[in-house]
Amino acid sequence: MTIRLLSTIACALLMVSHTMADNNTAPSPVAPLPSPQQVAWQQLETYAFIHFGLNTFNDMEWGYGDTPASTFNPTRLDCEQWVQTLVKAGMKGVILTCKHHDGFCLWPSRFTDYSVASSPWRDGKGDVVRELSDACKKHGLRFGIYLSPWDRHQASYGTPDYVTYYYNQLTELLTQYGDLFEVWLDGANGGDGWYGGACEKREIDRRSYYCYPRIASIVARLMPGAVIFSDGGPGCRWVGNEKGFAGATNWAFVRSKDVYPGYPQYEELQSGHADGDAWCASECDTSIRPGWFYHESEDDKVKTVDELTDLYYRSVGHNGTLLLNFPVNRDGLIHPIDSATAVQWHERISREMSVNLLTGAKFTATDTRGKAFGPAMMGDKEWETYWAPSDGVTSADIVIKTKKDVTLNCFVLQEYIPLGQRVKAFELEYKTCCGKWAPLLVDEETTTIGYKRIVRFHEKTAREWRIRILDSRACPCINNIEAYNTNN
Ligand code: FUL
């Protein structure tokens, strides 16, 4: 045997033992990473906002802070009607404007009389937060709170006393209403207001006034399962628009030192920061009507089922969540036009995504680190199992062979995000009848995947499909691939 042959055999043995050693070892996580709460939050995918309060009764969007509490008087308020509608619309949770910028509280706060306790509704004995949180418990919906930091009613606004007042109210909401999944901190802050009769403009330092780390520690102590929303998190971030969509390229990261509530370069939030140091996925908020609060003049301006469907694909399908607002009306009900539209929208999405045409298909890949991470894991519906190639492999092809010809116009791709968001670029292809790979026609960039990427493309019929991962921050970890024909 020549020395050359011996060294070739030795080299081959080394490679085999190396592969075997790697076989069942999971890839190392790539920071930034989500907390288990952030993963659970993103899995909710769609949940509702309710804007309701004095503005509803006074045809306003931003009350000045002096609107009389006596004008709050919903005659037929029924939180069960809200929750039942939201469940039928596929919502997994609801966030209520417990206090909007006008400072009026939908619960009888011990710290102010500017609340439902001073209204004629239920003779001043009502509590909307209680009624809604109870209805959520009864019907299995998660509950969250919006507590506006800006308060145009309080005389102390702008002083340290107001910040204590804010913490006290936050504590009431975190301790009196059971489990919460999200705490929503609005970015609109400071400006003119009533402020106990001063009627002036008050500016605050948006970065330091509320001491956000203190708020985060109160939430972490009293409601550890909840994620905090604000422009830059820390739990989840604003998507940089109020239209309900995220960028096709969408990283779940932000540069935590840069972003704060009121961040001027908020448009960056549509795609996140590829070089961010903190996990902070995007929440796409929008209203089913032009306004956040109810206005009769908008009864004929409710978004259509087509518009909402498109938003679903560009929010949940762009690695975000969709927070869809329902402006409760003066009766205290979700308007029938809004509820009918939302329910039809949910039925439409459910129909479009009802038959996964890859069921029973064969998945293969150009590289696999070991049996436990085989390509079949992408078609097994299990969250905890995923395909991954060897360490250092940052581009690979996944080929999917269906049993017969199928006509597709949509792929659903998911990364196993507990190990980080990795994929930077991919391409989708199909095999033509003459056996050549050709690109599927996609109208947006195919870059990031994240928790969920839904890629719509021009319909094609074929038996073999290829997903080419072109670049990734480390070896990709793909845990689910589905495909649909949304025209069926
Ligand atoms: C904004 C607020 O100013 C709007 O009134 C609304 O509450 C929306 C969800 O957030 O920043």
Side-chain angles (χ1 to χ4, degrees):
M1 239 188 274
T2 62
I3 297 202
R4 202 150 152 205
L5 189 60
L6 275 175
S7 80
T8 312
I9 292 170
C11 199
L13 282 174
L14 206 76
M15 276 173 68
V16 169
S17 72
H18 177 74
T19 320
M20 280 168 64
D22 265 357
N23 264 355
N24 292 310
T25 317
S28 309
V30 180
L33 297 174
S35 66
Q37 291 91 315
Q38 286 174 310
V39 175
W41 165 86
Q42 192 148 7
Q43 286 171 326
L44 296 176
E45 300 192 355
T46 53
Y47 42 89
F49 228 167
I50 298 272
H51 275 65
F52 185 53
L54 286 180
N55 292 337
T56 313
F57 298 87
N58 295 277
D59 216 4
M60 290 193 291
E61 279 291 311
W62 275 16
Y64 190 62
D66 60 347
T67 315
S70 59
T71 57
F72 183 84
N73 195 14
T75 44
R76 295 165 56 205
L77 186 132
D78 180 2
C79 290
E80 293 256 335
Q81 186 260 357
W82 308 0
V83 168
Q84 280 167 349
T85 302
L86 299 178
V87 168
K88 283 199 201 121
M91 299 289 155
K92 300 293 177 339
V94 56
I95 299 174
L96 173 69
T97 52
C98 302
K99 180 181 88 166
H100 200 251
H101 311 326
D102 62 12
F104 180 78
C105 301
L106 292 180
W107 81 103
S109 171
R110 276 182 287 128
F111 302 97
T112 181
D113 57 5
Y114 198 50
S115 78
V116 281
S118 304
S119 80
W121 176 64
R122 307 228 194 287
D123 294 326
K125 296 194 177 60
D127 181 343
V128 185
V129 183
R130 169 82 52 226
E131 292 192 22
L132 182 55
S133 58
D134 284 352
C136 283
K137 275 172 215 134
K138 183 164 163 197
H139 297 280
L141 217 59
R142 305 297 306 273
F143 182 55
I145 54 161
Y146 171 123
L147 182 68
S148 169
W150 185 23
D151 189 320
R152 304 172 95 186
H153 179 80
Q154 286 303 311
S156 62
Y157 185 79
T159 71
D161 280 355
Y162 172 76
V163 181
T164 306
Y165 170 82
Y166 185 82
Y167 296 159
N168 284 337
Q169 291 202 319
L170 181 63
T171 303
E172 283 185 315
L173 292 173
L174 294 172
T175 53
Q176 293 175 187
Y177 299 97
D179 193 39
L180 302 175
F181 80 102
E182 186 167 329
V183 173
W184 217 88
L185 304 179
D186 194 88
N189 260 310
D192 60 342
W194 184 70
Y195 304 127
C199 299
E200 61 190 12
K201 192 165 180 183
R202 293 187 183 170
E203 299 294 346
I204 47 116
D205 183 323
R206 288 164 183 244
R207 276 177 185 265
S208 61
Y209 179 57
Y210 302 102
C211 187
Y212 286 108
R214 177 88 192 277
I215 294 179
S217 76
I218 295 174
V219 175
R221 183 164 49 84
L222 299 175
M223 195 58 66
V227 299
I228 299 178
F229 165 96
S230 82
D231 287 15
C236 61
R237 73 171 196 267
W238 185 39
V239 76
N241 67 67
E242 289 183 342
K243 297 194 175 120
F245 68 87
T249 300
N250 189 9
W251 291 100
F253 318 146
V254 293
R255 292 189 292 267
S256 59
K257 301 274 175 302
D258 292 359
V259 190
Y260 58 94
Y263 181 58
Q265 284 101 278
Y266 57 85
E267 274 165 15
E268 295 168 8
L269 301 176
Q270 226 157 269
S271 295
H273 292 150
D275 59 352
D277 62 306
W279 185 278
C280 197
S282 53
E283 177 181 86
C284 307
D285 62 326
T286 196
S287 185
I288 196 163
R289 292 167 175 240
W292 294 99
F293 285 90
Y294 179 79
H295 309 284
E296 200 180 345
S297 58
E298 294 181 351
D299 281 354
D300 58 355
K301 296 190 177 63
V302 176
K303 286 188 173 64
T304 63
V305 170
D306 279 350
E307 286 168 329
L308 291 173
T309 302
D310 186 53
L311 286 182
Y312 171 83
Y313 287 115
R314 293 196 292 142
S315 55
V316 175
H318 280 179
N319 189 28
T321 59
L322 178 61
L323 173 57
L324 182 62
N325 180 63
F326 292 81
V328 162
N329 68 17
R330 291 179 188 186
D331 289 338
L333 300 170
I334 293 179
H335 193 282
I337 299 176
D338 306 34
S339 53
T341 307
V343 173
Q344 282 168 28
W345 163 66
H346 177 56
E347 286 167 357
R348 161 98 170 258
I349 303 279
S350 309
R351 192 175 60 242
E352 292 192 353
M353 307 288 242
S354 63
V355 185
N356 174 12
L357 294 163
L358 301 185
T359 306
K362 189 166 170 38
F363 289 69
T364 54
T366 48
D367 190 294
T368 288
R369 64 194 293 114
K371 242 193 173 153
F373 303 97
M377 306 300 169
M378 293 182 282
D380 70 356
K381 288 254 159 212
E382 294 288 330
W383 169 254
E384 287 296 340
T385 64
Y386 51 90
W387 160 79
S390 315
D391 288 334
V393 173
T394 53
S395 60
D397 291 346
I398 300 159
V399 174
I400 304 161
K401 219 173 184 169
T402 48
K403 286 196 180 117
K404 52 181 176 58
D405 279 359
V406 286
T407 305
L408 305 178
N409 70 357
C410 165
F411 263 107
V412 178
L413 309 173
Q414 293 190 271
E415 285 188 76
Y416 184 67
I417 56 167
L419 294 179
Q421 186 180 346
R422 296 162 176 244
V423 175
K424 288 162 117 177
F426 64 96
E427 266 171 9
L428 298 178
E429 295 180 333
Y430 71 103
K431 202 175 241 180
T432 63
C433 45
C434 44
K436 285 211 172 92
W437 288 109
L440 290 166
L441 222 59
V442 185
D443 293 329
E444 59 185 18
E445 71 247 28
T446 48
T447 45
T448 54
I449 296 179
Y451 163 73
K452 188 174 267 189
R453 180 73 194 270
I454 307 178
V455 194
R456 293 176 285 178
F457 50 87
H458 298 221
E459 193 174 286
K460 271 288 162 215
T461 303
R463 197 172 293 197
E464 278 189 72
W465 310 83
R466 185 156 78 169
I467 295 154
R468 314 202 76 183
I469 297 189
L470 305 178
D471 198 8
S472 189
R473 296 169 63 236
C475 71
C477 300
I478 308 292
N479 78 341
N480 187 39
I481 299 182
E482 296 166 17
Y484 296 92
N485 184 343
T486 60
N487 296 324
N488 275 348

